[in-house]
Amino acid sequence: MTGIERPTALAKLSEGVVEYRHERRDGPAVLIFHGGHMRAGIALGEEVFADAGNSVLVPSRPGYGRTPLETGTSPDGFADVARSLCERLGITRVAAVVGISAGGRTAMAMAARHPGLVERVILMSAVGPLPWPSRAVRIAGRIVFAPGSERLTWSVMRAILRGAPETGLRLLLGDLSTLSARTVLSAVRDDHRETLIGLFASMRSGRGFLNDLTGTPVRVGERLTQPGLIIASRHDGAVGFAHAEVIADAIPHGRLVESAAPGHLIWFADDWPAISGTVRDFLAT
């Protein structure tokens, strides 16, 4: 998982300005909605789609990167923005919409609102129809990632990652797992540690994370008709495994795959290569 930072572009649509990254390949497009603190320029877990020959379209959700908060704002609203972006880019078929973490809401909204465009749904460690996050996380998030403190928060974290990378990783990974930070870090391979440091050092919250915290639970069962692949870990400390269970039960053709990851970041677990094969099979079905 190298080359985290990728170049992006801006599109001026009738709904507003949106930042995006479009990597064209011979296969049909996969539309990816990243989670909190992420933007279009950060590539995470995309190798499985590249290996399958799929083009990849990644927009920055409202408030992240160079996408203004006013562009779309809600999952339903930004799903319509993404539909317009696909039209602008000449994309008439989305092989799968992928929702990661807090981006799960927008992915499900995209599939529900535009079923003629979206063929499949893939959700990874995704927020579902249950209340999210906890009250404690919501309160802390509004303080740590407020407009006046967000930049300082990430500057301090980057300084820790540079000066004491092990400490920085324990702090960050511990918040993303139900296990102890030491247990989680001990399960991470050395080469993955370097990638994780680069990933966390690239993150910013902008106004997007606060917007995520105010989001309302989404309806699932009565809205989605596409086949769904839901991937989650029971040790996820950021998005509880119950979200994945509820989504899988609600989607008519939903399949739940349990990751052995010790936390939220399923792409760094030993069983990710096997899960990647499941994803490729799902795309080829």
Side-chain angles (χ1 to χ4, degrees):
M1 298 179 64
T2 57
I4 289 175
E5 291 278 0
R6 308 278 176 87
T8 63
L10 288 178
K12 295 182 179 179
L13 308 172
S14 59
E15 299 91 343
V17 175
V18 60
E19 179 187 33
Y20 71 95
R21 171 167 50 89
H22 187 201
E23 298 182 1
R24 299 175 186 268
R25 298 183 183 90
D26 293 336
V30 168
L31 172 61
I32 301 175
F33 294 110
H34 278 310
H37 316 297
M38 298 281 288
R39 59 187 183 278
I42 302 178
L44 177 64
E46 298 176 13
E47 287 82 357
V48 59
F49 306 115
D51 292 344
N54 291 101
S55 300
V56 171
L57 174 62
V58 188
S60 293
R61 293 190 298 113
Y64 290 108
R66 294 186 288 167
T67 299
L69 183 61
E70 296 73 23
T71 301
T73 306
S74 68
D76 281 356
F78 197 67
D80 293 345
V81 172
R83 172 66 181 87
S84 295
L85 179 61
C86 286
E87 184 176 1
R88 171 72 62 86
L89 298 174
I91 297 173
T92 59
R93 172 193 173 197
V94 172
V97 60
V98 181
I100 301 172
S101 193
R105 291 168 169 167
T106 307
M108 287 184 280
M110 183 75 190
R113 294 174 71 84
H114 306 288
L117 177 65
V118 177
E119 296 180 347
R120 303 171 187 81
V121 181
I122 301 175
L123 300 171
M124 301 179 179
S125 304
V127 174
L130 301 178
W132 178 89
S134 66
R135 184 173 181 271
V137 171
R138 194 184 303 271
I139 292 173
R142 287 173 175 169
I143 297 172
V144 176
F145 299 109
S149 57
E150 179 267 347
R151 184 181 295 273
L152 176 61
T153 295
W154 284 110
S155 295
V156 170
M157 188 51 62
R158 282 193 291 271
I160 295 174
L161 287 170
R162 286 195 301 269
E166 294 286 310
T167 299
L169 286 177
R170 279 200 300 270
L171 287 171
L172 292 163
L173 294 176
D175 285 342
L176 299 176
S177 176
T178 60
L179 304 173
S180 70
R182 188 175 300 276
T183 299
V184 177
L185 187 57
S186 66
V188 178
R189 292 179 357 212
D190 290 343
D191 57 328
H192 283 173
R193 294 187 186 202
E194 294 183 8
T195 303
L196 282 167
I197 290 172
L199 172 65
F200 288 128
S202 300
M203 287 183 173
R204 287 293 303 272
S205 309
R207 298 171 64 192
F209 190 66
L210 291 184
N211 187 53
D212 287 343
L213 295 181
T214 61
T216 55
V218 295
R219 301 186 306 277
V220 180
E222 74 273 24
R223 302 185 71 193
L224 298 187
T225 59
Q226 299 94 332
L229 182 65
I230 302 94
I231 307 165
S233 168
R234 291 186 184 273
H235 303 301
D236 192 334
V239 180
F241 190 74
H243 283 265
E245 293 177 312
V246 171
I247 295 169
D249 288 341
I251 296 179
H253 305 287
R255 177 188 175 189
L256 175 57
V257 175
E258 184 175 340
S259 166
H264 189 60
L265 304 178
I266 59 175
W267 310 275
F268 299 93
D270 290 338
D271 66 344
W272 177 245
I275 292 177
S276 293
T278 301
V279 172
R280 288 192 293 271
D281 292 343
F282 180 67
L283 288 169
T285 302

